[in-house]
Amino acid sequence: MESALDYHTARALLEWQIELGATDAIGDAPVDRYALPDTAPKAKKPAKAQTAPEKPKQVDPVAVAKSAAQAARSLDQLQAAMDAFDHCELKRGARQLVFADGTPGARVMIIGEAPGRDEDREGKPFVGRAGQLLDRMLAAIDLNRTENVYITNVLPWRPPQNRDPKPEEIGMLKPFLERHVALAKPEVLVVMGNISCQAVLGKRGITRLRGQWDQAMDLPVIPMFHPAYLLRQPQMKRQAWADLLELKARLEGKA
């Protein structure tokens, strides 16, 4: 008996397998599936999830300013603390810190708005044309910065292009201003211009506020026109003179 299939029989069997759907050969030798071990492949352990790096903690510049200001026990220490404060962008564009001028411990403390070009160059407040006018105004009521007036600004650094300070800049640096007043110990505050009124009194509208006594930082406060405004609007000098007389009367105990 012949074991080999003849050509025609083998072809017929192949065609029958193709008809059943067996069109692909998967191996040269048959595989007994029942003889395979009854074990499922082990699942791979999932890779450990990578933890995202911790975000750096956000710094609160107001809290930093409060801490640095309260730590200052003298005006010199306060100036050093302000000079070391790096959270205000104004510092990067200014030449130097403009801290104060005049006589520490004077009865009158004037708070201006922010340094201008001349102040930024010389490191003192009110040294340009507005400063010269301020000196003449003070002299008219027997005051001067070398004997009985102390002067500073809301901001110690010049804003670019002399723009108005932003509310967040005022809020960030206000703790230094409050500590400055506490260490200087004046009897009266003079706030010159809208920015100073906003920072000290929380109010704006200098034409409405000027000449009227208010209270802030446990001290009497009188708002006045900024000398720079008077240079642009000389017709307002009459009102400025009335405010100076009001200040003089207060200092002499008549108001």
Side-chain angles (χ1 to χ4, degrees):
M1 180 177 174
E2 295 181 357
S3 60
L5 296 175
D6 60 52
Y7 169 77
H8 297 287
T9 303
R11 181 183 178 88
L13 289 173
L14 182 59
E15 290 176 351
W16 176 70
Q17 291 179 7
I18 293 173
E19 188 177 349
L20 291 177
T23 58
D24 297 318
I26 60 174
D28 295 333
V31 178
D32 185 357
R33 301 294 179 186
Y34 295 99
L36 293 176
D38 190 15
T39 56
K42 293 182 179 179
K44 294 182 178 179
K45 293 182 179 179
K48 292 183 179 179
Q50 294 183 352
T51 56
E54 292 186 4
K55 294 182 179 179
K57 293 182 179 180
Q58 294 293 327
V59 176
D60 182 358
V62 178
V64 174
K66 285 182 178 179
S67 177
Q70 289 303 316
R73 294 292 178 263
S74 66
L75 291 173
D76 288 340
Q77 290 182 8
L78 181 65
Q79 183 174 359
M82 293 173 69
D83 204 22
F85 186 74
D86 290 327
H87 300 285
C88 183
E89 289 295 326
L90 294 178
K91 181 179 180 180
R92 292 162 176 76
R95 284 188 176 91
Q96 59 184 316
L97 176 84
V98 179
F99 183 68
D101 192 23
T103 307
R107 298 180 66 192
V108 177
M109 183 173 182
I110 296 175
I111 301 176
E113 297 182 338
R117 180 185 59 189
D118 296 325
E119 290 78 12
D120 184 44
R121 184 174 57 245
E122 297 190 29
K124 293 182 180 181
F126 286 98
V127 295
R129 291 181 60 221
Q132 295 169 8
L133 176 56
L134 174 62
D135 288 341
R136 294 196 297 270
M137 292 167 62
L138 294 174
I141 57 171
D142 301 320
L143 295 176
N144 64 78
R145 66 177 82 196
T146 60
E147 296 179 1
N148 46 26
V149 174
Y150 187 62
I151 306 173
T152 190
N153 281 316
V154 172
L155 299 186
W157 295 292
R158 180 194 181 192
Q161 286 78 49
N162 288 344
R163 65 161 171 78
D164 284 347
K166 299 176 181 179
E168 57 268 27
E169 294 167 345
I170 295 174
M172 182 188 307
L173 295 167
K174 187 174 179 179
F176 290 117
L177 178 63
E178 292 173 337
R179 187 60 177 161
H180 203 157
V181 173
L183 292 171
K185 299 179 180 178
E187 294 179 15
V188 172
L189 290 178
V190 178
V191 290
M192 290 189 155
N194 262 325
I195 302 301
S196 304
C197 287
Q198 178 182 345
V200 176
L201 299 173
K203 304 174 184 178
R204 291 182 69 95
I206 188 63
T207 55
R208 173 175 49 86
L209 297 172
R210 53 146 288 270
Q212 301 182 40
W213 288 98
D214 209 325
Q215 193 81 11
M217 302 182 188
D218 298 323
L219 291 169
V221 181
I222 184 168
M224 291 188 184
F225 287 129
H226 196 284
Y229 174 77
L230 296 175
L231 289 173
R232 299 191 302 269
Q233 304 289 339
Q235 71 275 13
M236 305 303 290
K237 289 182 179 179
R238 182 186 297 272
Q239 289 91 328
W241 174 240
D243 297 343
L244 288 169
L245 292 178
E246 181 69 22
L247 173 61
K248 182 178 182 179
R250 181 76 176 226
L251 294 174
E252 292 176 349
K254 299 177 182 178

